[in-house]
């Protein structure tokens, strides 16, 4: 009987892991095929529209490209990848299988999964957890890192902000169903730092997402689309417009960071109306309530100072937004996004959809009315939008 071919043995182990849903990932490295600049491939098992699918991330020197294959094509795809690589590593729930090839022979080694040990206390100099791979090519295209994948000093704060944002985003995703294709819209996407980062994170950790950045500035839209193309992010697109002109058919995650004044209210309204599972806002330029504010007598000594009155109007604006989200079926948190040293616009409203929501919570709506009455507030745009009372002639304000 002829000895078992190590390559065939490795391939069969991969197919068994896929069939038994034990696959964590397969990494094909030391690529020696004919495709220029291709370095390695990572294969995972994901679900798209309730269908198990083979997801392959092709890492080039200058970009990452994601492709999905039906499970019926798994053997052919893996065979082709295996033929062109000198090393392959299969990771399953049970352990790791490694295949190494040279000109003379192929060697197969196996190791069992290591037991999970209790984390030990670490010193202050430990490496910080990053939710974005620093060597990702899209960071170079955005000007965050240089050709050696080192963070450019002037972009250090932006790099920290990107990781914090993706950390919050990742935490929110843990609370919702991510087995379906994920549709994300980022209103006011700007230069696309955060939009592109969340696409990269979601594509690598969950599945291929459908992400759209919406931005008024046409030059930024063109720049961001070029970055998406160069990075091989096929399901990432950018649209010129704003929250009033872009109307998605499906919305799972709604993001609006620093949308000016009542644009934040329009964005939240779009999220609620389209039944978004996650709503993430960092409000900006609170102007609507300030001229309406009538200080209660007991607070007049405090609010006679302009800076305090402005802070009160800002807090009241975002409190009403958070309460309206609660009233319409969302678990809502308000917290500091990043430290003030990185940006003065550091407040985040994070809301995740409750599954038991049936109708607006009248008790919470009553709390809103009591606040409005206390401060003499006649108009709050998000409330008007939710009640279909928005005056179309009032187009809001910009910074």
């Amino acid at each position: 009987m002829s000895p078992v071919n190590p390559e065939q043995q490795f391939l069969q182990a991969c197919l068994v892991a896929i069939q038994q849903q034990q696959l964590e990932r397969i990494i094909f490295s030391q690529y020696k095929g004919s495709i220029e600049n291709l370095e390695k491939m990572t294969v995972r098992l994901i679900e798209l529209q309730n269908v198990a699918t083979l997801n392959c991330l092709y890492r080039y020197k200058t970009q990452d490209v994601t492709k999905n294959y039906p499970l019926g094509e798994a053997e052919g795809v893996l065979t082709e990848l295996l033929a062109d690589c000198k090393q392959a590593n299969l990771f399953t729930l049970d352990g790791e299988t490694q295949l190494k090839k040279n000109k003379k022979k192929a060697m197969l080694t196996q190791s069992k999964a290591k037991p999970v040990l209790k984390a030990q206390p670490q010193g202050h100099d430990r490496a910080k957890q990053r939710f974005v791979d620093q060597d990702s090519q899209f960071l170079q295209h955005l000007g965050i890192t240089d050709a050696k994948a080192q963070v450019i000093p002037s972009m250090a704060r932006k790099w920290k902000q990107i990781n914090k944002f993706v950390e919050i985003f990742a935490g929110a995703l843990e609370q919702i169903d991510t087995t379906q294709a994920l549709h994300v819209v980022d209103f006011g996407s700007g230069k696309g730092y955060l939009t592109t980062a969340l696409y990269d994170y979601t594509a690598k950790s969950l599945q291929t997402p459908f992400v759209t950045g919406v931005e008024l500035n046409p030059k930024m839209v063109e720049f961001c689309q070029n970055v998406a193309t160069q990075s091989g992010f096929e399901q990432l697109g950018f649209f010129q417009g704003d929250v009033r002109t872009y109307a998605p058919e499906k919305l799972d995650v709604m993001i609006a960071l620093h949308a000016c004044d009542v644009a934040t209210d329009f964005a939240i309204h779009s999220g609620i109306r389209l039944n978004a599972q996650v709503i993430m806002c960092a409000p900006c330029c609170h102007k609507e309530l300030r001229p309406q504010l009538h200080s209660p007598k007991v607070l007049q000594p405090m609010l006679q100072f302009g800076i305090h009155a402005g802070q009160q109007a800002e807090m009241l604006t975002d409190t009403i937004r958070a309460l309206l989200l609660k009233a319409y079926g969302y678990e809502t948190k308000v917290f500091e996004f990043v430290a003030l040293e990185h940006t003065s616009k550091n407040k985040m409203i994070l809301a995740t959809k409750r599954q038991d929501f049936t109708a607006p919570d009248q008790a919470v709506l009553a709390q809103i009315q009591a606040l409005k009455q206390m401060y003499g507030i006649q108009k709050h745009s998000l409330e008007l939008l939710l009640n279909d009372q928005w005056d179309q002639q009032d187009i809001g304000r910009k910074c």
Side-chain angles (χ1 to χ4, degrees), residues 302-332:
M302 178 177 68
L303 300 183
Q304 65 177 307
F305 304 105
I307 187 172
H308 290 167
Q311 291 170 342
Q312 183 76 81
E314 175 182 328
M315 184 168 63
L316 185 60
T317 300
D318 291 333
T319 295
I320 294 176
R321 286 168 173 163
L323 289 174
L324 284 168
L325 281 163
K326 289 184 64 176
Y328 281 81
Y330 287 83
E331 293 290 343
T332 307

Side-chain angles (χ1 to χ4, degrees), residues 44-91:
R44 301 176 189 271
L45 196 62
I46 65 171
E47 282 195 12
L48 290 179
Q49 299 180 349
N50 288 328
V51 177
T53 305
L54 205 65
N55 173 268
C56 186
L57 175 68
Y58 296 82
R59 171 152 289 185
Y60 294 80
K61 288 184 178 180
T62 58
Q63 65 176 347
D64 295 340
V65 176
T66 300
K67 293 184 179 180
N68 297 318
Y69 301 95
L71 289 191
E73 300 179 11
E75 184 171 357
V77 171
L78 297 179
T79 299
E80 183 177 346
L81 296 176
L82 197 57
D84 292 331
C85 294
K86 295 180 67 176
Q87 180 172 327
N89 294 74
L90 165 66
F91 298 89

Side-chain angles (χ1 to χ4, degrees), residues 24 32 53-54 59 83-85 110 116 147 203 214 221 228-229 243 248 278 288 290 312 318 341 362 384:
E24 289 189 345
K32 300 300 179 182
T53 305
L54 205 65
R59 171 152 289 185
D84 292 331
C85 294
Q110 294 178 310
V116 178
V214 182
V221 172
T229 301
V243 69
V278 176
E288 184 179 42
R290 176 68 182 272
Q312 183 76 81
D318 291 333
E341 65 185 88
Q362 296 302 316
L384 294 176

Side-chain angles (χ1 to χ4, degrees), residues 128-136 138-139 144-145 151 155-171 193-198 200-201 257 280 337-338 342 348:
K128 293 183 179 180
Q129 180 184 8
R130 296 297 187 189
F131 287 80
V132 180
D133 294 332
Q134 191 171 323
D135 62 349
S136 297
F138 81 91
L139 293 171
I144 302 294
T145 59
V151 176
M155 301 301 292
R157 289 184 175 181
K158 179 60 67 176
W159 170 237
K160 183 173 182 178
Q161 185 183 24
I162 288 171
N163 274 280
K164 185 62 177 179
F165 169 77
V166 176
E167 178 184 355
I168 296 170
F169 176 75
Y193 295 119
L194 305 182
T195 323
T196 311
L198 72 85
D200 176 73
Y201 170 80
L257 304 185
M280 300 175 68
F337 172 26
V338 290
H342 299 290
M348 171 74 74

Side-chain angles (χ1 to χ4, degrees), residues 20 22 55 109 117 155 173 206 278 318 328 333 338 386:
Q20 297 180 352
Q22 297 289 305
N55 173 268
T109 58
L117 300 177
M155 301 301 292
L173 291 189
L206 298 170
V278 176
D318 291 333
Y328 281 81
K333 301 177 182 178
V338 290
L386 290 169

